[in-house]
Every structure is written in C-alpha cells, then in structure tokens.
C-alpha cells in the first residue's frame, strides 16, 4: 500500500544530531544533519554524529538534503555525511554560508552542491515537492519545510519560536495557517521548550535589556553570546552605535560570523565602527564594546581566557561591565559560574542570569507549541527535537489541542512512522551513534571508552617481566610503573612490596612449569589486585606485559 | 594589641568543606568540618577536605569543635580531622546522631567526645564563652553560634532561612534581635542564596504541595528527596497517613536517617505504618508510598536504579507517580534529566521542577539575608558559605543595609580577619585542599590528576623493548600495547607501522652507541608521537619501558 515513511537518524530522545528523513517509494529527502556534543562519560570524544548506514545503503533513493537553519546540531555532521553520500544541499543564504565555511575547514568545498532557497522556493523532485515557510529562531534564515507527497503534506517546523516582534523577518503566520487548511498528513515539531509554560520572551525585549545596560555602563563593555545569534549581534551593534562605542570582536567563531554576516548583509554597521581588537587602547574605555565567545564557559573560548587573565590582548579593568547574553546549557552551569566568579575577582561588574532581560531562548514555549499544532492541524503528530520527557510533554499538548492519542507518535531514532490517509504503523531502520575523536570516525567504541573511564578513575599500573621460557626463569623485572595512580614520592614502599609479591607469585608459577601467558598474567593479577586494593582502596588498571627473551 | 582572629579553612569561594575558626589569644574554636564533592576534572577523587595543617600546628590552642547542623558539607570531614586533632565536639542531638553514625563507619566512635547542646546551652572556655540560637534549615537542629570574646561577640549564622511557618521549632527571632542590641564585633552569614530575590518559600508550603499530589495519585507513589531533610520526610509521612498509605524506605542513607530520626523522635509515625520494602506487594498500589534516595540522579542511588530497571525489589508500574522533591544541584542537572527520562519511558508520571511546590531551598534569599544583617548589626561583616559571586552579592547587600564598605570583608580560605573594637586588618594562614581517593588521604595531587586527565582523553600506548646494552642490540620487542586509544581490531596496521618506526629509530640510536635511557626514550617518543597524531589526531600517553637483559 502506498505510504510515506518518516524517521529520524538523530534528534529523538536527545538534544543534538538532528537528522530527519521523509521517504516515499524510491525517493528520500533528508532534513538537516547535525552533531551532538559528547556526554560527560564519553571521555576524549570530540563530537557525536548519527550512524547513517541505512542512508548509505539506500543512497540511490536520496534526492537532496534540506536545511532548516545553520546551527551546529543541524549542519555539523554535513562533512561526515557528504564523504559517504553525494547529494545537493538546499538552505537559506546564511545557512549555506556557514556550511560553506565548514566544508572549507574539511577541504570538501568542491564536493558539495549548495543551492540557496528562500520562502518562495519550490523544489520539484520525482513525486515529491518541497516548499518552505519562514520562522523565527535564534539565527536568521530559519525555515519550516513542507514535503508535498501524494499522501498529503509532511510539515517539519525546524527550530522555531512564534516571536510577534522579531528582529529579522517575521514568521509567515498566514502561510502556516493556510498549510493547516490543506491536507496535512503529518507534523514534526520542535519540543525543546515544551516543559516551559507560556510564551518565550521576544528577541526585541532582549535588545531593550542590552540597550539599558549599555546606557548605564561607565567603563568598557564586554559582551559574550552565541556567535550564531546574528540578530542578537545586530542588536548589540545597535546599542553600541546609540552610545558611541566602537565594536571589536574576539573568538574564532565570532569573527567568522561577523565576516559572513556582514558579507551577506545580515549584520549592518557604519563604516569604521568595527575596529581591530589591538586598537581598543586607542579609545576611551566608554567608547569600547567588545563582543566575544565563551558564554558557555567553554575552556578555550575568549571570555574564559579573559576571565582567567590568560587572553593575549584583553585583560579585565575594574570598571568593565561584562554581559553574558546567554543561558547556560545544562551541563555547562558549573563552567559558567566559574567564569563569572573569575570576572568578579578581576573586578568586573558582571550582568548575567534571568534577573536581567539579556537573553531569550530561540525555542517556543508551551503556548507557542499549541498554537503551531492548532494552525497546522495534522493527521499524525511526531514531537521531535527533544529529550524523552520533552517529547512526552509535547505529545500531551497535542492531545489537549484535539489530536487523537492514537495518532501521536513519540518515537526513537530509527523508528519509522509509515503512514497514509487511511492508517499508520511503525517499523524500524538501523540508527545509532558514531563517535568522533581527533581524525578518527567510529574507531572509538565501548571498550575504548570503558578503558578511558577506568584509567580516569583509578589510573594504571604496568608490570613488565622478561622471562626465559626455556628454563622457566625470570630474566629481568618485574618492573612496575604507574601513572595516574599514586604520587611516586611516598609510595616507593608500596611499589616495592608489590614487586616482591609479583616476583614470588610468578617464580612459583614458573616452577610449576606453567607456560600459558594468559595463565601467568592472571596469576599476577590475582595477587596484585587485592594487595593494591587493600592498601589504597583503589583498583588501577593492571597491564601485565611478559616478554620472552 | 588584643584582637580576635576569624578565618576559614574551607567554605569561602566555594560551596562545601565548611570550616570556620575563631581564635583569641591562646584559644581556638572550630565551627564545622565539612567535605566538598569533587569537581568534574578531579578524576577518581571521592571527597575533598580542608587542609588543616595550621590547626594541627596550633592544636594546643583548640578548645572545641562546634557544629551548626548535620549536613555533609559541615560534618563530613570530622573523621579526618579527629585522626589528627583530639577535641570535644558540640552539636544538636540530630547532628551528633549523624556524626556518631559516621564515626562508626570510620571505626572512630571511641575517639570522640560528643556533647549535646540546645538553644539554652552556655559553654565556658578560658576567655571565650559560646551560646546558641535556633535557626531553620533543611535539617532539624540547626543553630547559629555566638562566640563571646573580650572584644565583643562573633556571630555565625550557620545555614539558615527565616521561615515564618517552619515545620520544626521556629527561628529565635527575639534572641537574634537581642544579640544585635549588644556588642557584636563580627557577623559571618550564609551567602548561598544571595543571588535570589525575595524570600525563600516556606517548608510548610512544600508539605501542602506534596499533600495535593498524594491526594490525586491513583497508583503507587515513589518520592525521592534528600535523606537529611527530616522535616520533609515528616511531611511526606503525614501525607501518606492522611491518604492511608503505608511507607517503605529504600536507599542506605534514607534508611539510616529514618532509624536515627525515629529513635530521636524527629520522625513520628503510627505503629505499623512503616513497612519493609519486600512487603509492598502485599498492599494495593494506592496504599503504598515509597521514600527513596536518588533525587540528584546519583548513579548508584535507589531512584536511579529504579529508573534503569536495575533495582532488586522495585520496578516502575505504568500508574506510578514519581515525585522528585529536590532541585538539581548545578552539575547534577544532566543526571537528573536522564533519570526523569528513564522514568517516563518506564511509564511513570513524573512530578518535578519548579512548576510544582514540592521543594524549597533551606537557605534564605536576599530579603532574609538583609533582615539578618539588620537584626545583628555587626561592626564587621564576613559573607561566608558561597562561591565568590555569592559572597560579593551578599557584601553588596550589607552595604545597602548600612554597613560601611571598609568594614565588609570578602575573604578567601586562609585569609584572617584580625579585629577588635578599634580596627581590623588582614593576615594569612595556610589553607588549601586535600583530596581523598579510596583510603588514600592526600596521596593524589596535581601530577596524578593530570595523568588521569590525559589517560581519560586520549588513552595510552605502552612500548616495551628489551635491550642487550653490552652489545647495543635489541633483544625483543618493541611490543606495543594500547588501552583507551583505538579499537584493536581495525588498527592492526597502525600498531604494526608504529612498531617498525620505533624499532628503526631505536636501532639507529643504539648503533650510535647511545646508552642513556632517557635519551633513548625521548628518541622513541619523538618519532612515535607525531606519527600517531598525524594518523589519528590524538595524543595518547606514551609510556616507554626499556629493559636491560
């Protein structure tokens, strides 16, 4: 029976690595390809991307990748996907600008076909057609996507808020409502803020909040925010202009966005207002506003370095006002607090937190989510872009606005909603995660992570012995070396006793003519592990290397 | 010139390891001895305690330890301190009950002299006298402490909120105000919630919030909270009683508090209401309320295990209501969210977060802090118990209520405020932190932690070679073993190439008759490190072991 298949390679039950697919017969459209930042226990991992083996197997069906907006959790995995699957990529101008710069970093700029869209674009594939509608989010050029199928429309909101007084182009309410008057098969909608009541604060209010603080500040102003929040940057530039301050920019990603943003006309400022960071001392303190990265307390970012006194050009002066125009993402709270403490210690006045109207989320709260549901009025609803409880909460709202509970699907990555006008059922495809560490893609898995965790918690003892296996005799050693276990100074006797224990055990095993190395190693382990635990309460990894000479 | 010395061994610029001292001539009184939980980058560390070397050197002066209340960040370091310094310990009955149980765990119960106090107790030392006043906090038996010195009173608030409708005994407002009418030299006051506006919600309101949820629940109720919040536990018990539910308790610390709390009369419940967890299936679901640990998503706690389906007696049923009566401490947010997600997936209805009145902080907000300052009216003010920005904010409030800025001291651990009625100045004593890992106290320091971090992020390669140094010849090896670096499967060729490289380099060094081992090792490192980085983008720890045979 003819039906549409809707599934996610990433983005369900998590915040990050968003990648949604709409499949109809022999056509697949991919919506976004994002990364996720590693969880705490993913020691040493740089990034997490979706496992796209299903898409690689079905790449003959893939027609295009459509991008909703330019955030890392929506475009970050593109270089990795493009290495395996060639396809055209459609997105807004700013989105493509950011993708292009990312591809250049990966030296893939010549592999990709980047095609700009706007709210009027219509893309015709074989049986599928795609149209777009403008939304508001914490980055310009955010779009909702409509995939027109023979079974009706599949609507993907992208990340959105329904900001009535946005800084950039407004949400196309009329177009959205009109879509809802048509034949909508399914809606996929952003669940990030489904746990928040009410409406999300307008970006415009943030501009006013920042303007107030800039008006009052007597010394320099240092403002940290997300580099990609171009509307925010424009509002900061406007405040600086109003109060006759020059703007200097620090932090690699911030400099990049300022370049792309100005080039594409998203950031507008008078000639000569943007100055090089090295020139700031040529101006009075109250003529300077510095925009920088580090609003999440990231260890290497500009604000963090400034706070620690380790930035090469900017130090904190006692009259400085530091504005942190962002909320800490869960998991970053401790790092942000630490940065704030250091700024205070350096003498700055720090403006942060929800007491001041200096940050607004880019995601709609409950009432906005209900409004979207009420306008689109889909047959089937899939809450996307959220951890499980957020999806669940969004599903509850869908019921409240009148969608039948049997038509609401709280899904996991890899679950496939197969649906048409008559019925809907679930199937499964392969989905999972791929860890990126350095230049390695997927060569770190559970065993490596388990070892890293063990090493992190208890460190390591290496036992090396060379043995004459013909005569069952120890030649040299055991030598015991430790790392991350105990201070070497003060632990000499512990190591010495351990060495004696291991030597005795090994000698007696060799006397019994035991020659299997696994057996010899496990005998060493059996005597060493309890000895170390009893003496230190720790279980270091024990690595025994036997050498036959 | 005769003066009082006030300083902290821990608790300033941090939340945790509270330990404050008041010194006058040859007398020292210690207030509290707490632990701190390790920060993220303190790999493998179990606890952090204050470095008390100054107190050990001056132990002949130490008259007593006074305890404000029984939380871990105020009593957790007592076993470690007692091993080095003998002194009597004074505290409320519940506080001492918890200390006693802690000392038993450390087999130190016979080392300590535990002396109960109440609000009427007067302790007379040589020149110093100590009195107490009742406060409210998230544990019963919380006291403020007044040290009467020849230079006036030093007042320490302990952790407090000014709850007008508390569950236990009320704050002694009259006594506090009377202290303020006297000769107060200095105030040390709790800064935890100095960033919060207004008044903290009353514990009584939490009881009502919980009662409402218990009234509506149809299935079982599972409630997680801090074990030490005995007032909260009593209110939960009251709600269970009102709605005819039996109470079962799980989690080691929760069981301990229920035992101590009932024994001392702090938790009151009818005979037969408390049942063993193994009996819960003998009752209907709506007759059961389970109280458990794990409100912070701690990996090994009861609620976390229940959520993961790995608890040995309790599984989630679809009609269960889970109440998390706590706020996540910064740093625990991610773990708590993960637990909530798992509970939802298991089918429970989860009640958590600030939308419901099911938790109140135990620390007073700005208006309460200002009220305390206004009542005590000290000559000198030291904000305590808080990270730097909280101390700073509290200092600002002190100025607002009329304390001269030159009389406000935002100090660090080890800073000593020397003061008398005429003047005040700062000196320093030694202060710092001691890391506890397993049974080791202070044997893990920066080098060990740096190695653990390195191992955690990039893993390890061990290179072992045995060499005949007489003939400058490699005998066996190099053998290369790795852990936490790459999957062994699929990386065979990488390791093989590395082995060849090392062998060549070493052979050529030996040909040149190089015999210094550090030189040989560094030559191996020089060739191996860049090769590995180029091929993997990683920098594993390289541990080279040369054996002379």
């Amino acid at each position: 029976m003819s039906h549409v298949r809707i599934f996610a390679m990433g983005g369900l039950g998590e915040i990050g690595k968003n990648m949604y697919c709409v499949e109809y017969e022999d056509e697949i459209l991919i919506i976004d390809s994002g990364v996720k930042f590693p969880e705490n226990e993913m020691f040493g991992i740089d990034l997490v991307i979706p496992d796209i083996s299903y898409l690689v197997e079905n790449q003959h069906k893939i027609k295009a990748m459509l991008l909703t907006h330019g955030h890392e959790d929506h475009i970050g995995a593109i270089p990795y996907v493009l290495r395996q699957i060639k396809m055209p990529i459609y997105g807004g101008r700013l989105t493509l600008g950011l993708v292009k710069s990312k591809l250049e970093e990966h030296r893939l700029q010549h592999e990709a076909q980047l095609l700009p869209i706007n709210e009027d674009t219509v893309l015709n594939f074989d049986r599928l057609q795609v149209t777009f509608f403008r939304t508001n989010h914490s980055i310009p050029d955010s779009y909702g996507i409509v995939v027109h199928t023979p079974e009706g429309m599949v609507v993907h909101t992208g990340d959105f808020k329904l900001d009535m007084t946005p800084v950039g182009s407004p949400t196309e309410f009329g177009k959205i409502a009109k879509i809802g008057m048509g034949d909508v098969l399914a809606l996929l909608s952003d669940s990030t803020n489904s746990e928040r009541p009410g409406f999300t604060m307008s970006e415009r209010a943030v501009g006013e909040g920042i303007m107030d603080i800039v008006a009052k500040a007597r010394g320099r102003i240092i403002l940290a925010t997300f580099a990609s929040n171009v509307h925010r940057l424009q509002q900061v530039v406007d405040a600086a202009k109003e109060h006759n301050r020059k703007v200097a920019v620090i932090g690699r990603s911030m400099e990049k966005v300022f370049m792309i943003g100005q080039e594409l006309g998203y950031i507008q400022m008078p000639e000569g207002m943007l100055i090089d960071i090295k020139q700031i001392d040529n101006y009075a303190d109250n003529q300077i506003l510095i925009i920088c990265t580090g609003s999440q307390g990231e260890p290497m970012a500009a604000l963090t370095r400034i706070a620690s006194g380790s930035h090469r050009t900017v130090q904190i002066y006692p009259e400085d006002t530091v504005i942190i125009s962002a909320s800490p993402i869960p998991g970053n709270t401790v790092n942000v607090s630490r940065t704030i403490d250091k700024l205070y210690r350096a003498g700055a006045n720090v403006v942060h937190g929800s007491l001041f109207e200096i940050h607004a989320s880019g995601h709609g709260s409950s009432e906005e989510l209900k409004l979207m549901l009420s306008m689109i009025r889909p047959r089937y609803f899939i809450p996307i872009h959220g951890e499980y409880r957020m999806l669940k909460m969004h599903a509850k709202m869908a019921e409240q606005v009148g969608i039948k509970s049997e038509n609401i699907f709280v899904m996991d990555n890899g679950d496939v909603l197969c649906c048409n006008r008559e019925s809907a059922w679930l199937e499964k495809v392969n989905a999972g995660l791929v860890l990126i560490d350095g230049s390695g893609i997927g060569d770190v898995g559970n065993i490596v992570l388990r070892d890293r965790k063990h090493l992190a918690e208890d460190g390591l003892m290496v036992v090396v012995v060379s043995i004459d296996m013909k005569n069952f005799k120890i030649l040299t050693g055991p030598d015991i070396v430790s790392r991350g276990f105990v201070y070497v100074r003060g632990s000499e006797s512990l190591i010495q006793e351990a060495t004696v224990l291991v030597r005795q055990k090994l000698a007696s095993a060799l006397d019994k003519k035991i020659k299997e190395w696994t057996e010899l190693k496990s005998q060493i382990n059996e005597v060493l592990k309890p000895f170390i635990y009893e003496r230190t309460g720790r279980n270091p990894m024990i690595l025994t290397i036997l050498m036959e000479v």
Side-chain angles (χ1 to χ4, degrees), chain A:
Chain A
M1 197 166 51
S2 167
H3 64 273
V4 180
R5 291 159 57 85
I6 304 169
F7 53 95
M9 304 273 86
L12 300 183
E14 62 185 350
I15 296 285
K17 66 181 173 71
N18 289 284
M19 191 175 196
Y20 305 93
C21 303
V22 180
E23 183 172 351
Y24 181 77
E25 293 182 350
D26 54 356
E27 288 178 79
I28 295 177
L29 294 173
I30 300 172
I31 299 175
D32 295 337
S33 287
V35 292
K36 185 174 170 179
F37 295 102
E39 290 162 23
N40 245 340
E41 60 268 42
M42 293 181 177
F43 290 109
I45 297 303
D46 302 319
L47 288 173
V48 183
I49 59 172
D51 173 353
I52 56 166
S53 48
Y54 175 83
L55 295 174
V56 172
E57 282 160 30
N58 291 280
Q59 57 182 301
H60 57 283
K61 294 189 179 182
I62 298 171
K63 299 296 169 188
M65 186 187 296
L66 314 168
L67 302 177
T68 58
H69 65 287
H71 279 152
E72 283 299 309
D73 59 334
H74 293 257
I75 66 167
I78 292 178
Y80 306 97
V81 174
L82 267 193
R83 281 199 193 107
Q84 298 182 266
I85 306 172
K86 301 288 169 245
M87 70 197 129
I89 298 177
Y90 296 90
R93 284 167 65 228
L94 179 64
T95 310
L96 294 186
L98 293 167
V99 170
K100 187 163 158 253
S101 142
K102 179 173 295 292
L103 292 174
E104 281 163 5
E105 280 166 28
H106 283 81
R107 298 196 192 131
L108 285 170
Q109 65 270 39
H110 304 300
E111 304 292 315
Q113 197 187 347
L114 303 180
L115 303 164
I117 58 100
N118 64 29
E119 61 272 35
D120 298 323
T121 302
V122 178
L123 304 177
N124 284 300
F125 300 99
D126 292 350
R127 307 282 301 271
L128 301 178
Q129 192 191 55
V130 173
T131 58
F132 300 86
F133 56 92
R134 275 201 181 275
T135 60
N136 289 119
H137 186 45
S138 43
I139 185 168
D141 267 357
S142 293
Y143 290 95
I145 293 176
V146 185
V147 180
H148 303 258
T149 81
E151 293 297 329
M153 290 178 271
V154 176
V155 181
H156 185 296
T157 61
D159 292 9
F160 77 97
K161 65 197 278 191
L162 298 178
D163 194 337
M164 311 297 179
T165 55
V167 172
S169 318
T171 297
E172 293 184 289
F173 285 99
K175 200 191 265 186
I176 294 171
K178 200 173 159 198
I179 291 165
M181 305 291 282
D183 180 20
V184 180
L185 182 67
L187 170 67
L188 290 75
S189 181
D190 174 9
S191 310
T192 313
N193 276 347
S194 63
E195 293 184 297
R196 293 204 197 167
F199 259 77
T200 299
M201 185 167 81
S202 169
E203 182 63 29
R204 184 79 63 185
V206 175
E208 289 161 14
I210 291 172
M211 187 71 86
D212 285 350
I213 294 163
V214 173
K216 281 181 204 150
R218 284 175 303 178
R220 302 184 307 180
I221 293 169
I222 299 170
L223 182 141
T225 190
F226 298 103
S228 60
N229 199 331
V230 176
H231 294 317
R232 183 77 46 86
L233 299 179
Q234 181 64 56
Q235 298 203 99
V236 175
V237 165
D238 292 345
K241 196 168 94 184
E242 177 79 19
H243 295 282
N244 299 310
R245 288 175 184 261
K246 300 284 180 189
V247 170
V249 172
I250 40 180
R252 211 171 58 95
S253 61
M254 194 62 86
E255 289 163 17
K256 193 173 97 177
V257 165
F258 255 83
M259 211 181 60
I260 298 174
Q262 282 195 293
E263 208 175 282
L264 298 180
Y266 289 95
I267 298 180
Q268 304 202 326
M269 55 201 300
E271 197 80 27
M273 187 174 163
L274 188 67
I275 61 170
D276 189 276
I277 191 68
K278 291 185 194 104
Q279 300 183 300
I280 54 173
D281 290 334
N282 302 342
Y283 297 86
D285 287 350
N286 64 6
Q287 294 175 334
I288 290 296
L289 188 151
I290 298 166
I291 301 179
C292 66
T293 53
S295 65
Q296 294 299 310
E298 307 93 323
M300 308 305 285
L303 186 65
T304 317
R305 286 172 187 270
I306 292 171
S308 314
S310 64
H311 193 273
R312 64 185 184 288
T313 40
V314 181
Q315 291 79 42
I316 290 292
Y317 304 156
E319 287 278 291
D320 285 349
T321 298
V322 178
I323 305 173
I324 300 182
S325 176
S327 297
I329 291 164
N332 292 345
T333 330
V334 173
N335 281 345
V336 172
S337 299
R338 220 178 268 176
T339 301
I340 295 170
D341 276 359
K342 286 181 185 159
L343 291 166
Y344 268 120
R345 278 183 191 272
N349 173 32
V350 189
V351 185
H352 67 99
S354 55
L355 286 186
F356 306 92
E357 296 204 325
I358 52 173
H359 178 64
S361 169
H363 300 272
S365 302
S366 327
E367 297 307 318
E368 288 156 276
L369 301 185
K370 285 187 236 170
L371 183 46
M372 181 61 87
L373 280 157
S374 303
M375 289 193 291
I376 296 288
R377 304 188 310 164
R379 189 181 304 266
Y380 304 112
F381 174 58
I382 308 173
I384 60 167
H385 202 286
E387 296 177 6
Y388 190 78
R389 64 190 183 287
M390 304 170 186
L391 304 182
K392 211 60 188 161
M393 201 65 84
H394 202 177
K396 207 187 251 180
M397 287 175 214
E399 266 192 84
Q400 286 167 355
V401 304
I403 298 178
K404 288 190 208 128
S405 67
E406 65 266 29
N407 287 347
I408 299 170
F409 296 87
V410 175
M411 296 175 10
D412 276 317
N413 296 328
D415 287 348
V416 182
L417 177 65
C418 305
C419 57
N420 55 29
R421 289 191 186 85
E422 278 73 51
S423 63
W425 63 97
L426 288 172
E427 294 181 0
K428 260 191 193 307
V429 296
N430 189 39
L433 46 82
V434 173
L435 304 179
I436 303 206
D437 178 8
S439 55
I441 304 172
D443 66 341
V444 168
N446 289 337
I447 297 171
V448 173
L449 287 182
R450 197 191 57 203
D451 283 348
R452 286 184 184 175
K453 181 166 195 281
H454 189 173
L455 291 165
E457 285 175 2
D458 286 305
L460 166 88
M461 285 184 97
V462 183
V463 181
V464 190
V465 198
S466 69
I467 305 177
D468 171 357
M469 285 307 281
K470 292 203 191 77
N471 304 303
F472 290 97
K473 246 187 62 190
I474 296 173
L475 280 178
T476 31
D479 285 4
I480 295 185
V481 178
S482 86
R483 287 289 185 280
F485 168 51
V486 285
Y487 266 143
V488 178
R489 266 180 62 189
S491 307
E492 296 88 349
S493 73
L494 177 75
I495 300 296
Q496 210 179 332
E497 285 176 58
T499 308
V500 171
L501 264 182
V502 170
R503 186 183 302 125
Q504 286 170 346
K505 186 73 179 181
L506 186 59
S508 101
L510 289 172
D511 280 349
K512 290 178 203 140
K513 311 293 175 202
I514 293 172
K515 54 169 97 179
E516 294 74 22
W517 283 27
T518 40
E519 175 60 21
L520 291 173
K521 284 184 185 179
S522 94
Q523 292 217 0
I524 291 174
N525 215 34
E526 265 166 37
V527 66
L528 191 52
K529 207 176 130 101
F531 169 75
I532 294 294
Y533 185 77
E534 195 222 311
R535 290 289 292 273
T536 65
R538 295 173 211 165
N539 275 317
M541 180 183 284
I542 295 174
L543 197 55
T544 302
I545 302 175
L546 304 180
M547 303 195 84
E548 181 167 0
V549 181

